[in-house]
Amino acid sequence: MPEQAISQADIDVVYPKVAQIVADALGCELEDVKPKASLIQDLDAESIDFLDLVFRLEKGFGVKIPRGKIVEDARGPLPEAEFETKGIVTEAGMARLREFLGEVPVDRFKTPMKAGDVPRLFTTETFCKVVIRAQRAAQA
Amino acid sequence: MSGRFRSFSFVDRITRREGGSVEGQYAVPLGVHFPASLMAEAVGQLAAWSSMAQLDFAVRPVAGLADAVHYHQLPYPGCTLQLQADIERCDAEAVAYSGKAFVDGRLALELVDSVGPMLPMAEFDEPEAVRADFHTLLGGGAAPGRFGGVPLPELHDLQVQPGERLAAVLQVPELSAAPFFEDHFPRRPVFPGTLLMEALSMLSLQLVQQSPPLAAAGPLVTQKVSQVKIRSFTAPGARLELEVVLQDIDPQRARLKVAARSEHKTVATARIELTPRSNP
């Protein structure tokens, strides 16, 4: 089933709480958290911070975010073999990422991109969309 | 004798395991200094045993996060810790749990919303040996009195600004100088996060003892350690730069923000609250 589009208005509803949770999880100031900020590149997040963030979002919004769901959603309908080859995201994979991560500034989609570096693209808005999808899944 | 399953193991026996709930016990040895933070380690290890068994010893939790650790009373030599953990979630990525330790039937420590990232067991220990140890804990239990103590944190280059901050260098022991590395972990020695928090608590205590109005308040104790995050592993022999910064202080308590860094990279962060011993 095609995903229902997420509008800017949908993002604006959850953004203030997501931004506060990002600031709490990363131990940074709220004013440093921007919608387009890359959590890894701009806010020095590490893998443990993503784990912390997902648990905090689950508690804060009362939703379940299955493990590995973000990367799995980013890959979309593409089988893993078509998404990446020898650890490098394929052209088809890059096209899928640009579409799925529409909130990420286009100049950050550099090629060749290692599949393990996909989380470097994630922004505060990416996590707003994660929350919105989890809320919709809970209502479905 | 190898320190494996001895020198940093704080569960002697698992007494009940049902669904996500697990209970166990640990006898604090006589004649050995047992820092209060090791009660949190014991609760974490109980949850770790249960989660490793649930995932067939393919992965193990290492370090991680804790929303809060509340200290209610101190352990004493010869006491038995009754341990409980409630595992909220456990999969190949992480285990999430809360837990408690009791001394003489009274609540001594609460660990709230802790998360341990799972890593491949084989990187840290021999999976079959861990499985055998787990069955020992479930059966007759491990022999008590295995813990021989931990060296006191080696802190130097202290720079104190009373009422504001204290910085110091923590020299992590070399592999040969600290038996706990043989147990934590046999294939990859890692400085335990609880000992790092213990060192940060000691520094916090030193700063607050020089900061009015608590400077004259008599003995102080750690009441709460919160927002604990261990961000990376610390190897034997490492030098860590520790910093504790006073956030606010009044006659009832002091709140501090603490951090450990290695070459300007943050290794661990937390917040610590201290209170006069008579004001728990």
Side-chain angles (χ1 to χ4, degrees):
Chain A
M1 193 167 61
E3 182 183 275
Q4 187 190 344
I6 295 173
S7 69
Q8 189 58 49
D10 294 329
I11 290 174
D12 291 345
V13 170
V14 298
Y15 181 80
K17 192 165 171 181
V18 171
Q20 183 61 59
I21 290 172
V22 168
D24 291 345
L26 272 53
C28 63
E29 299 300 326
L30 181 59
E31 55 261 34
D32 294 334
V33 180
K34 310 280 188 216
K36 307 284 185 207
S38 158
L39 270 51
I40 291 180
Q41 281 171 276
D42 300 327
L43 298 172
D44 297 329
E46 301 203 14
S47 57
I48 188 85
D49 295 310
F50 283 115
L51 195 59
D52 188 14
L53 180 57
V54 168
F55 274 96
R56 286 172 187 260
L57 290 171
E58 287 186 330
K59 279 192 187 299
F61 285 93
V63 294
K64 286 280 175 202
I65 301 169
R67 307 299 99 176
K69 179 76 175 156
I70 309 172
V71 172
E72 190 185 302
D73 281 352
R75 202 170 68 220
L78 286 181
E80 197 171 342
E82 287 180 35
F83 183 78
E84 61 172 281
T85 306
K86 293 180 181 169
I88 302 294
V89 180
T90 61
E91 271 188 42
M94 291 301 290
R96 164 65 194 171
L97 284 177
R98 284 189 202 95
E99 175 197 340
F100 183 75
L101 299 172
E103 70 281 3
V104 177
V106 287
D107 60 344
R108 294 199 193 146
F109 291 89
K110 296 202 167 70
T111 51
M113 178 178 286
K114 290 180 189 166
D117 283 345
V118 171
R120 299 181 75 85
L121 296 168
F122 296 167
T123 65
T124 314
E125 278 191 358
T126 305
F127 285 91
C128 291
K129 289 164 75 175
V130 166
V131 167
I132 293 165
R133 287 192 194 96
Q135 287 174 326
R136 288 179 180 172
Q139 288 163 4
Chain B
M1 184 187 295
S2 161
R4 192 185 171 285
F5 198 43
R6 298 180 60 85
S7 56
F8 208 71
S9 289
F10 301 107
V11 179
D12 289 340
R13 190 170 201 162
I14 294 173
T15 51
R16 182 176 158 270
R17 189 167 172 256
E18 202 174 303
S21 178
V22 56
E23 293 177 6
Q25 62 189 43
Y26 177 71
V28 176
L30 288 165
V32 174
H33 174 58
F34 187 85
S37 61
L38 291 184
M39 290 195 293
E41 181 72 35
V43 172
Q45 289 189 5
L46 181 70
W49 282 114
S50 194
S51 64
M52 291 189 292
Q54 191 173 327
L55 297 169
D56 201 28
F57 302 95
V59 289
R60 68 153 304 134
V62 183
L65 317 161
D67 192 49
V69 184
H70 299 272
Y71 289 89
H72 299 284
Q73 69 167 307
L74 298 173
Y76 60 87
C79 75
T80 295
L81 302 179
Q82 300 293 340
L83 308 167
Q84 291 179 359
D86 289 305
I87 297 175
E88 186 189 322
R89 197 160 169 168
C90 174
D91 55 40
E93 190 187 29
V95 56
Y97 63 96
S98 293
K100 293 174 182 168
F102 296 83
V103 173
D104 299 333
R106 290 168 56 207
L107 183 61
L109 173 134
E110 285 173 278
L111 181 56
V112 181
D113 289 343
S114 189
V115 177
M118 292 290 198
L119 291 166
M121 173 73 81
E123 277 184 27
F124 294 89
D125 207 341
E126 162 60 49
E128 288 312 311
V130 179
R131 186 195 303 276
D133 294 340
F134 176 69
H135 287 291
T136 298
L137 294 176
L138 277 184
R146 293 164 294 156
F147 176 59
V150 287
L152 280 172
E154 192 186 318
L155 295 163
H156 52 87
D157 294 353
L158 269 69
Q159 296 176 339
V160 62
Q161 294 163 265
E164 289 183 32
R165 67 186 280 279
L166 197 165
V169 170
L170 171 67
Q171 180 61 56
V172 174
E174 296 292 342
L175 192 59
S176 57
F180 61 73
F181 281 127
E182 292 179 14
D183 203 13
H184 195 278
F185 298 93
R187 286 185 176 172
R188 181 174 178 185
V190 173
F191 187 60
T194 40
L195 296 185
L196 181 51
M197 288 298 138
E198 183 71 21
L200 286 162
S201 292
M202 284 174 66
L203 280 186
S204 300
L205 204 61
Q206 282 196 39
L207 175 61
V208 174
Q209 279 167 341
Q210 299 177 56
S211 303
L214 282 174
L220 300 163
V221 288
T222 303
Q223 186 178 44
K224 180 179 171 185
V225 181
S226 59
Q227 298 179 41
V228 179
K229 186 177 289 186
I230 309 293
R231 294 166 67 102
S232 56
F233 295 149
T234 298
R239 273 168 67 89
L240 297 180
E241 298 139 33
L242 308 190
E243 184 184 38
V244 303
V245 178
L246 202 52
Q247 299 285 287
D248 59 82
I249 184 166
D250 62 39
Q252 273 71 50
R253 62 184 45 80
R255 295 186 177 88
L256 303 101
K257 204 170 168 178
V258 305
R261 298 181 187 89
S262 175
E263 293 165 0
H264 305 296
K265 198 172 150 73
T266 303
V267 169
T269 51
R271 288 169 193 263
I272 292 179
E273 276 185 37
L274 303 176
T275 190
R277 184 167 283 185
S278 55
N279 183 38

